[in-house]
Amino acid sequence: MPEPMTLLALFQKEFALQDEQVKQLQSSYFMQGISLMDAFEQISITDENRVLHVLADHLQLPLLEREDYPEKPVLLEGVSMFFLRKHSILPIQVESGRVRVVVNNPLNLPVLNILGNYFAGMELNLCLGQREEIRTAIDRLYGTAAREAEALSRTGEGGLLNGDAFEEDLEHLKGLAQEAPIVRLVNILISRALDMRASDIHFEPFEHSFQVRSRVDGVLFDLDQPPKTMQAAIISRLKLMANLNIAERRLPQDGKIKLKFGNRDVDIRVSTVPTIYGESIVLRLLAQEAVDYNLASVGMDPQQLSVLEELIERPFGMILVTGPTGSGKTTTLYGVLRKLNNITRKIITVEDPVEYQINGINQIQVKPQIDLTFANALRSLVRQDPDVLLIGEIRDKETADIAIESALTGHLVLSTLHTNDAPGAITRMRDLGIESFLMADSLLAILAQRLVRVLCPHCKEAYPAREVDMVRMRQVIPDLPASVTLYQNKGCEKCGYTGFRGRQGIFEVLRVSETIRSAIVAEKSAGDISQIAFKESYRPLLHHGYRKVIEGITTMSEVLRVTSLSLTE
């Protein structure tokens, strides 16, 4: 960074400044930290392009024009759009340990320190740009939510949101939530999340801030950080859209929103829970056209797909899909239903909630508040003469008993469990109180799955596998060649500079053969069953994950992330 007087001398020469103007510029810009153009406007200089040219020449920094800004936003975790717009900062490229940022004020050391800390370990390359061009680019790339928040927080409307007394004025709050600035802001946030291919939007209140984040390909990114004073109005607007009770802040509530953005019809599932700093709201974005129910496209390898397609044609038995929340279990089961859905079969589902409607299938929403539980619904459904039953989740012994009984009496039963792997489902069913011989007679197969982010095909980079990679992969796939080419994420405009676009499943399929049935009846442990199944072509999740790494579909770190292993293990 140059000495202040050196740069002052250049400005004095370029603009023929008087001594008084130099002193004022030194005080306001170099000492008080006033923004670049505000400081020059105080001394009656408004030619920003000329000012920036002096800075660019002296600091040896490139000066960007309007057409130099990217077409797609850079997705960043934990960065407030309000902060970027306030300080006229725009990250425009992140790749290979280097980040490129356009700024208007390259001498603002506190802000540069914040950037340096955020991008710690990366090379920070600065470019210069005009203040309004940077802000226009932020609005174009990230929506105008930051600008709406900034404007509203300066107005009386924003001030009205302060104070506990206003919190009790429900009619006032309801009116404010329906006014144009709040309506626009909420619509902008939802539209931006859809443009980012987000699956969820999180509105999170904290003591001194109100944070909005979106989940893209399973990872949370910062969407915006409106002023804390807008929290009550934004939450009330969302609750009104979902037809929820805005006066009820002590209990969780659930609702739905149907919206149309352009040509997109979007169903939104809304969940509210009270926290110590206000209500937290999560929107699950269910864009019908974004879901592919094709079983062949979920990511199974041909052998796994062949086994599953054969088993789902059986007239009776049970198939379980296991994995944590958000691992794609429902999508896999909907893919099975789509393949089975024809005029010769009656298919009934019991779900909590019903996320997607499928023509030709009878779908039932569980409602515990009126005692319509999984178990109670299933008791009636077996008298509805179904061929196929989908149970959203087996949570208790009662549901498990009915599912087993249905599978043994001529129905194909599909359901999910929360276990880490396929053999673990057998232990989980025992814990629920299911007899081993009943499991052995009813189970056809158990699938375990996770979702991994897929490398962007436009920017992924090849590299020879390191020795540590080869050692790790050979522990699971012993017959690897001497050298393997792997790929890493780089980042480009098409993937929002994350290096990933979309997700695929990795699977393990445990087919319940006669040998496995005998092991279940003998009450063998999950570890013993896993070893027996390994001899019959069963392979764990890591095996399929590493195959996708070798094929260049995903990265080693991504597979280890979703299988709960660390890179240092």
Side-chain angles (χ1 to χ4, degrees):
M1 202 61 65
E3 290 294 327
M5 287 307 298
T6 305
L7 192 52
L8 273 176
L10 283 172
F11 283 135
Q12 184 175 20
K13 178 180 178 182
E14 175 70 22
F15 295 103
L17 301 180
Q18 302 296 320
D19 288 344
E20 190 59 37
Q21 290 177 303
V22 173
K23 288 180 182 178
Q24 187 172 348
L25 185 62
Q26 180 183 13
S27 172
S28 58
Y29 183 45
F30 291 104
M31 295 180 180
Q32 297 176 28
I34 291 175
S35 68
L36 177 67
M37 285 315 299
D38 285 345
F40 273 93
E41 285 169 5
Q42 288 179 356
I43 58 173
S44 303
I45 293 176
T46 58
D47 190 342
E48 183 177 9
N49 196 48
R50 195 171 160 196
V51 171
L52 289 174
H53 269 101
V54 174
L55 273 173
D57 290 344
H58 188 71
L59 301 177
Q60 296 296 297
L61 296 177
L63 177 58
L64 300 191
E65 302 294 337
R66 191 188 305 271
E67 58 271 16
D68 297 324
Y69 294 98
E71 293 299 318
K72 296 285 183 68
V74 175
L75 299 183
L76 299 170
E77 297 181 65
V79 175
S80 164
M81 299 304 114
F82 183 73
F83 172 83
L84 295 182
R85 199 172 195 283
K86 178 181 178 182
H87 296 288
S88 301
I89 299 169
L90 179 64
I92 58 174
Q93 191 175 23
V94 179
E95 64 176 13
S96 303
R98 183 169 57 92
V99 57
R100 201 165 176 231
V101 181
V102 56
V103 299
N104 179 252
N105 186 358
L107 302 183
N108 191 333
L109 290 178
V111 171
L112 292 181
N113 286 335
I114 291 172
L115 287 176
N117 291 332
Y118 180 83
F119 294 109
M122 302 184 74
E123 179 186 341
L124 186 63
N125 292 345
L126 295 183
C127 306
L128 297 182
Q130 293 195 31
R131 178 168 58 183
E132 287 310 310
E133 288 185 358
I134 293 174
R135 290 178 175 177
T136 299
I138 292 171
D139 292 342
R140 175 173 58 81
L141 295 171
Y142 298 100
T144 57
R147 185 175 62 195
E148 294 281 1
E150 184 180 30
L152 196 57
S153 67
R154 289 197 300 261
T155 67
E157 294 174 33
L160 286 173
L161 298 176
N162 289 312
D164 293 335
F166 177 71
E167 282 286 295
E168 301 305 319
D169 189 352
L170 296 176
E171 284 304 314
H172 198 174
L173 183 60
K174 184 176 180 179
L176 185 60
Q178 293 174 318
E179 291 184 2
I182 292 293
V183 172
R184 277 201 308 272
L185 177 55
V186 170
N187 288 345
I188 286 166
L189 290 171
I190 296 173
S191 180
R192 275 179 51 207
L194 288 169
D195 290 340
M196 294 164 65
R197 300 175 295 105
S199 59
D200 304 85
I201 310 175
H202 296 243
F203 294 81
E204 302 168 309
F206 298 103
E207 185 176 6
H208 301 297
S209 63
F210 182 54
Q211 184 166 285
V212 184
R213 295 190 290 172
S214 61
R215 190 178 296 278
V216 181
D217 293 335
V219 178
L220 280 170
F221 293 93
D222 189 82
L223 189 64
D224 203 359
Q225 190 170 329
K228 179 74 173 174
T229 52
M230 297 177 64
Q231 174 181 315
I234 291 173
I235 288 174
S236 296
R237 173 61 187 165
L238 292 169
K239 291 171 75 174
L240 285 173
M241 293 170 72
N243 293 315
L244 300 179
N245 182 2
I246 66 169
E248 179 55 76
R249 306 186 187 110
R250 302 163 301 166
L251 297 172
Q253 296 187 70
D254 293 300
K256 285 186 176 180
I257 301 172
K258 291 184 77 73
L259 290 176
K260 189 176 182 68
F261 283 94
N263 296 321
R264 293 177 293 190
D265 290 310
V266 183
D267 290 332
I268 301 175
R269 198 175 79 214
V270 182
S271 170
T272 78
V273 295
T275 73
I276 59 174
Y277 298 118
E279 288 176 283
S280 171
I281 295 187
V282 175
L283 309 184
R284 169 64 59 89
L285 306 178
L286 307 170
Q288 292 282 350
E289 72 279 3
V291 180
D292 187 356
Y293 302 129
N294 189 346
L295 194 56
S297 66
V298 296
M300 291 185 185
D301 68 30
Q303 181 184 3
Q304 293 171 333
L305 184 59
S306 174
V307 169
L308 184 60
E309 287 180 336
E310 177 199 338
L311 293 177
I312 64 177
E313 295 296 334
R314 301 283 182 92
F316 60 88
M318 182 159 64
I319 297 173
L320 294 175
V321 181
T322 75
T325 301
S327 59
K329 301 186 297 294
T330 301
T331 302
T332 298
L333 288 178
Y334 277 15
V336 171
L337 293 185
R338 179 181 176 183
K339 192 165 185 65
L340 293 174
N341 189 16
N342 59 48
I343 198 67
T344 66
R345 291 188 179 95
K346 177 157 185 175
I347 302 174
I348 303 179
T349 76
V350 186
E351 304 171 67
D352 183 21
V354 175
E355 292 191 357
Y356 297 102
Q357 291 79 49
I358 307 175
N359 287 332
I361 293 178
N362 299 276
Q363 296 174 272
I364 296 171
Q365 168 78 56
V366 169
K367 295 178 181 176
Q369 61 270 27
I370 59 171
D371 205 30
L372 182 60
T373 61
F374 279 112
N376 290 341
L378 287 169
R379 283 195 198 94
S380 300
L381 293 186
V382 293
R383 295 191 290 272
Q384 288 279 313
D385 188 30
D387 296 295
V388 180
L389 272 174
L390 185 149
I391 305 168
E393 183 184 347
I394 295 178
R395 299 175 179 174
D396 51 48
K397 184 179 187 299
E398 196 174 8
T399 305
D401 281 335
I402 299 172
I404 292 281
E405 183 182 345
S406 300
L408 292 172
T409 55
H411 305 92
L412 180 64
V413 178
L414 310 171
S415 191
T416 71
L417 273 178
H418 286 285
T419 62
N420 289 330
D421 56 14
I426 296 168
T427 304
R428 172 67 176 145
M429 293 289 276
R430 284 181 187 145
D431 291 342
L432 288 174
I434 303 302
E435 297 288 348
S436 292
F437 72 90
L438 291 176
M439 271 192 288
D441 287 343
S442 60
L443 282 172
L444 297 175
I446 306 169
L447 282 69
Q449 72 177 84
R450 302 288 191 276
L451 290 177
V452 293
R453 291 184 291 172
V454 175
L455 283 164
C456 175
H458 303 284
C459 64
K460 64 181 182 181
E461 285 186 334
Y463 70 95
R466 301 165 299 175
E467 182 60 31
V468 65
D469 298 329
M470 297 298 292
V471 169
R472 189 183 289 277
M473 287 191 292
R474 283 201 176 99
Q475 291 173 352
V476 180
I477 310 175
D479 57 344
L480 281 180
S483 62
V484 174
T485 298
L486 302 183
Y487 292 83
Q488 62 187 357
N489 56 310
K490 179 183 177 184
C492 66
E493 289 185 7
K494 294 184 182 295
C495 61
Y497 295 97
T498 63
F500 297 98
R501 187 172 179 84
R503 289 189 290 176
Q504 270 192 19
I506 59 173
F507 297 85
E508 61 182 37
V509 178
L510 175 61
R511 182 172 187 163
V512 181
S513 64
E514 288 303 321
T515 310
I516 301 299
R517 284 195 177 90
S518 299
I520 295 173
V521 171
E523 300 200 343
K524 298 281 188 182
S525 68
D528 291 339
I529 291 173
S530 178
Q531 291 178 11
I532 295 168
F534 192 86
K535 299 173 183 176
E536 299 182 353
S537 78
Y538 161 78
R539 294 294 179 269
L541 277 170
L542 272 178
H543 186 277
H544 193 205
Y546 287 162
R547 286 291 179 196
K548 286 189 180 289
V549 172
I550 294 167
E551 292 167 13
I553 294 171
T554 189
T555 65
M556 177 80 73
S557 60
E558 185 67 11
V559 170
L560 297 177
R561 178 181 71 86
V562 301
T563 54
S564 302
L565 295 175
S566 71
L567 286 167
T568 58
E569 282 186 334

